[in-house]
Amino acid sequence: MKILHRYVLKEHLGPLTFALTALTSILLLQYIGKHFGELVGKGLPTLVIAEFFGLSIPLTVALTLPMAVLVATLYAFSRLAAENEITALKASGVSLVSVLKPVLWAALGVTIVMIGFNDQILPRSNHRLATLQRDIAQKKPTFGLREQVINEVSPGKFYLRAGHLDEASNLMREVTIYDMADPTRRRTIYADSGNMGMSKGMTDLELTLYNGNTQDVPTANPDELQRLYFDSTLVRVRGVGNQFQKTTSDSYKSDREMTVCEMQAAQDKARKEHEMARKEFEKRLAEVKRSKAVVSKDLLETDTSAPWDIGLGRWYCKAIALLTPKAAHAQAVSTRTAAFTQGPAPNPLDISALQAQRIRLDDSAQLMEAYSVEIHKKFALAVACFVFVLLGAPIALRFPRGGVGLTIGVSLFVFALYYVCLIAGESLGKRGLMPAVVSMWMANVIFGLIALWMLARMGQEGSTARGGDMREMFDTIRGSIRSKIGRKKPVIQPERAAA
C-alpha cells in the first residue's frame, strides 16, 4: 500500500470510529429509555436485561454504519481540502482519482462485510431478541402497589386501588378491586381494609379483605346487579410472582429473523403455491363462466400474475453454495413453513371455492413480496456505504471550509432523505404497488447518480475551490435557482412603420 493511501485511510479511521460509536450510542440510549422501565418493572435478572440490550446492538449498527461512513468521508476530505493538502497533491501531479481510490476500495470492503453482517449476524440476533421478548412478555410484573393509583396486578384481568398503604405491615385501607378475569361478568369488590401477602410457593398473591361487598354485573345483561356483603373474604391472584423462564430453542422465524437463503427458499415455496393457486383459479373461473353464473366484476378482474423479481437472492445463494455448500443447504432447510388458506373443493361451480383460490393467490403473492423486500433491503443498506463515499467526497472537496457545519448539515439531510425513501419503498414493495427491486434500490440509485454527476464536474475543474464554505454552498444553490427562474424569452419589438 502506498504512503498516500495509508494516510488518506488513516484520516477516515478516526471520524468513522467516533461517528459509529456516537450514532450507535444515541440510538441505543433512545431504545433503552423506551424499554428500560418495562424491563426493570418485571423484576428480571441483570444478565437478562444486559442480553436484551446487547442483542439490540446489531440492528442499530446496521442502520448507523452507512451514516458513520458518510460523516467520516465528509469530515476527512473537508479537512484535507481546508488545509490545502489536496491542492499540494494536485500540484505534485497526484490526481483526485488516486486520492479517492483507496477510500473507494475500503468502502467496497465495508460493503462486502455489511452484506455478510446483514445476512448472518443480524437475523440471528433478531431471532434471539424476538425469542427473549416473548419470554419476557410471559413474565408477570413483580408485585408492587402504589396508593391512590389503579394498579394492574394481572395484565388485563385484575386491577387494585388502595387509598392508604402501610409498607411495613402490608395493610390496606379503602380498597377497590376490579376483577375482569371472567368474560361473562364484571366483578367489583369494595372493602374498608385488607391485608396482602404471597402464597407459600411465592407464585400467587393472597388478599384478605374485611367489611365490604362484591358487585357482579353480567356482560350479557348489564341491567342486572348482584351484591354480596362480607365481613371477611380471601381473594387469590394466581401467577403474580412466577419466575422468568428463558426459551432455549424456537423454530419460528419471521422474515427479519431469516438469512437470505432461508428467505429465498421460503419465497420459492410461495411461488410454487402461487402457481398452483393460479391454475386452480383459472380452471374454476372458466367453469363458472361456462355455467353463466353471476360473478362479481372484482373477482373476474383478479390479477393472477406472480410478483416480478430479478432473483438477487437466488444468485447470492448460488454463490454461497459454491463456497460453503453445506452451510447454504442447512440454511435453506431451516426455513419456516408458510401457511396458506386452502379453499374448499366440494362443487367446481361453487363461487366460494373460487373466492378461496383468490385468497390463496393473494396470500402467496404478499408473502413473496415481503420476502423480496427484505432480501433487497439487506443488500441496499450494505451498498449505501459505497454510495455515501461517492457522494460525500465531491461535496467536501467543493466546499472545503464547511467544517463541522457542513458535515452535520449534509449528513442530517442525506440521512433523512435516504431513510424516508427506504421506509416508503419498503411500504410500497410489501403492498405490491412497486417491484421490490425498484422500491428498495431507488434511494441508492438517486444518490449514486447525483454522486457520479458531482464527481464528473469535479474532474473537469482545473483546481480545487479555495474557499467554499456553507454560505457559499447556499449562495450557489440560490444563484442557480434565480438564474433559472430569471431567464425570460427575448421580447421582439415590432419594426416601426416608415414615416
Side-chain angles (χ1 to χ4, degrees), residues 70 74 388 391 395 409-419 447:
L70 178 59
L74 287 169
F388 284 166
L391 182 65
I395 294 177
V410 174
S411 299
L412 290 177
F413 176 76
V414 173
F415 297 160
L417 187 59
Y418 182 84
Y419 284 112
F447 285 112

Side-chain angles (χ1 to χ4, degrees), residues 412-431:
L412 290 177
F413 176 76
V414 173
F415 297 160
L417 187 59
Y418 182 84
Y419 284 112
V420 164
C421 293
L422 191 69
I423 294 172
E426 185 176 358
S427 177
L428 292 174
K430 289 187 176 181
R431 293 168 59 185

Side-chain angles (χ1 to χ4, degrees), residues 130-149:
T131 304
L132 187 61
Q133 285 178 323
R134 287 192 288 268
D135 294 338
I136 293 174
Q138 295 175 2
K139 173 75 170 66
K140 302 296 187 300
T142 55
F143 186 70
L145 291 179
R146 292 180 296 169
E147 60 182 22
Q148 301 292 341
V149 174

